Amino acid sequence: MADAGAADCDYHFAVAGHRIPSIFWDLDQLRPGDPIVVETPTTYFIYDVTQTKIVNPTAVEEVAPVPGDAAAKPSVAMLTLTTCDPKWDNYHRLIVHAQLDRSQLRTAGAPAELGG
């Protein structure tokens, strides 16, 4: 099974991390269309970046089930990555939203986005 049901998902996965060299350091270099691969023990989840933006730290709606609209019902699976902005400071938050393109079982090998 190459696709673990990406089209049927309607969840939001959010990850916050420090903007240090080992975590999210270059997050500001992601652009719409860039892939993000999340690996679990059984599955790769391949997301496509839809937007990046800088927001105030109080913009908690960015991690709502529908990013930016806390009252909306989700219809697609999303990933949100968030970190401080600028580097080494916390005046704002860098937000990266991505939509799930597909999932792939690890038994099928690494996805092409990882050079596999």
Side-chain angles (χ1 to χ4, degrees):
M1 180 175 177
D3 187 344
D8 297 327
C9 299
D10 61 355
Y11 56 88
H12 183 202
F13 176 49
V15 179
H18 291 289
R19 192 132 180 222
I20 58 176
S22 61
I23 305 171
F24 290 167
W25 184 252
D26 292 326
L27 203 62
D28 59 331
Q29 295 181 20
L30 288 173
R31 299 291 179 255
D34 286 346
I36 298 173
V37 179
V38 175
E39 180 180 357
T40 72
T42 61
T43 308
Y44 292 103
F45 295 91
I46 300 92
Y47 295 83
D48 291 324
V49 173
T50 57
Q51 70 172 330
T52 63
K53 58 183 166 177
I54 306 296
V55 300
N56 287 321
T58 57
V60 296
E61 67 277 2
E62 296 300 331
V63 295
V66 175
D69 188 351
K73 181 177 174 11
S75 61
V76 297
M78 297 291 296
L79 168 68
T80 297
L81 304 177
T82 182
T83 193
C84 54
D85 191 79
K87 290 177 180 175
W88 301 111
D89 220 322
N90 63 356
Y91 295 115
H92 295 97
R93 299 292 179 266
L94 170 63
I95 305 290
V96 176
H97 292 298
Q99 184 173 327
L100 184 63
D101 176 51
R102 69 184 192 288
S103 57
Q104 176 177 314
L105 294 175
R106 288 187 56 169
T107 55
E113 291 81 0
L114 293 179

